[in-house]
Amino acid sequence: MREKRVNIFCTIVAVLVMLFLIAPLVVIVIASFTPTAVVVFPPKGFSLKWYENIFSSSTHFMEGLANSLKIGLLATALDILLGVTAALSVCRHDFKGKNALLNYFTSPMYVPSVAFAFVLLQVYSQIGGIPGAVRIFIGHFIIILPYIVRNTVSVLHVFNWTLEDAATSLGANPVQVFFKITIPVAKPGIVAGALLAFLYSFDEVALSSLLSTPKFITLPIRIMNYMELTFDPTLAAISTFLIAGSLVLILLMDKFVGLDMFVK
């Protein structure tokens, strides 16, 4: 009886916590359809004009979205090459300083992005003439690398390396072994790390705000700049789009790698 009461209590607490987390998102989504010029909940009517305002040239949201996608996708793609190579070198071989090397690759995860951006800003100011896109790309390239390395290492750590020897003994060359044995086994960690890295890059604000230039501004900075000038339901509308995009990525994560990979 006591165990049953504990289970009921835990269930109630879990439901209340979920409602507490989901309620603000529901309010934002519903408020984005209000016809009034201020955020009102519940909305006094129904309108899609704030969604139309997202695509207006005056808000520059689509330009910011394009910039964020460019930086996120390019930085993630290059970090996959570097991160997987680093994870393989750490997990495949046993050498002195192995843990120190792994900590080096994951160290950007433990440095506040504001402090890291300030250091980069000092370096860029001394060099001079670096375009805003390159400034932000270098910063994002470094800070998202640990997510790919850590997730790939978590899979390769339990990898049975004798499978590669078995494939070699059956006539497979090193390239075939790499693409048909190693990569498929490490795929869950690579995909999980890539998705987390891209999301982190896409949502990064502190680093981008310090390194951006008037000619190259990412979406989070566009949203912040828009909030400084006005606060209408356009922000709720674009937040709804971002919420929907996050849900799609979560579903993709669950389908291809399983959400338990992210817990690990």
Side-chain angles (χ1 to χ4, degrees):
M1 180 64 68
R2 179 184 177 184
E3 183 177 348
K4 184 178 180 180
R5 291 178 179 176
V6 172
N7 292 335
I8 294 175
F9 176 76
C10 292
T11 302
I12 294 175
V13 171
V15 171
L16 291 176
V17 171
M18 291 299 297
L19 291 175
F20 177 78
L21 296 175
I22 295 176
L25 303 181
V26 175
V27 172
I28 291 174
V29 173
I30 297 177
S32 66
F33 297 102
T34 181
T36 58
V38 294
V39 178
V40 177
F41 184 85
K44 299 177 180 179
F46 180 85
S47 176
L48 295 175
K49 66 178 181 179
W50 306 114
Y51 287 90
E52 297 175 359
N53 197 33
I54 295 176
F55 303 95
S56 172
S57 59
S58 61
T59 60
H60 301 288
F61 286 143
M62 299 309 297
E63 179 184 349
L65 175 62
N67 291 338
S68 293
L69 290 176
K70 291 176 184 177
I71 295 296
L73 292 175
L74 182 58
T76 301
L78 294 180
D79 272 331
I80 288 176
L81 296 177
L82 178 61
V84 173
T85 303
L88 286 171
S89 64
V90 170
C91 296
R92 186 194 298 270
H93 307 289
D94 191 11
F95 53 91
K96 187 177 181 180
K98 176 178 177 179
N99 292 331
L101 182 60
L102 179 60
N103 291 332
Y104 172 77
F105 282 119
T106 58
S107 59
M109 183 182 295
Y110 310 110
V111 179
S113 57
V114 174
F116 180 67
F118 180 76
V119 173
L120 281 180
L121 186 61
Q122 295 296 317
V123 175
Y124 292 152
S125 62
Q126 294 179 8
I127 298 175
I130 301 178
V134 177
R135 291 154 59 106
I136 295 178
F137 167 75
I138 294 175
H140 285 216
F141 176 80
I142 296 174
I143 63 175
I144 68 175
L145 176 62
Y147 295 93
I148 297 177
V149 174
R150 294 294 297 182
N151 281 276
T152 306
V153 167
S154 67
V155 175
L156 294 178
H157 182 69
V158 295
F159 177 55
N160 185 3
W161 296 102
T162 58
L163 293 175
E164 293 186 339
D165 297 332
T168 303
S169 65
L170 293 175
N173 58 48
V175 175
Q176 291 174 325
V177 172
F178 180 75
F179 286 102
K180 293 186 177 181
I181 303 297
T182 309
I183 291 299
V185 173
K187 180 181 177 181
I190 297 173
V191 174
L195 289 173
L196 286 176
F198 173 76
L199 287 175
Y200 187 88
S201 173
F202 188 84
D203 293 333
E204 172 58 39
V205 176
L207 186 145
S208 299
S209 63
L210 290 176
L211 302 181
S212 62
T213 61
K215 294 183 179 181
F216 193 90
I217 302 177
T218 58
L219 180 60
I221 308 305
R222 288 289 183 192
I223 295 175
M224 289 184 59
N225 293 341
Y226 190 84
M227 290 177 62
E228 293 177 357
L229 301 175
T230 183
F231 192 79
D232 58 34
T234 303
L235 296 174
I238 194 169
S239 298
T240 302
F241 272 126
L242 295 178
I243 292 170
S246 299
L247 290 177
V248 171
L249 286 178
I250 290 175
L251 294 176
L252 292 176
M253 293 175 189
D254 187 41
K255 179 178 180 180
F256 290 105
V257 298
L259 292 179
D260 58 328
M261 174 60 63
F262 296 87
V263 177
K264 295 177 182 179

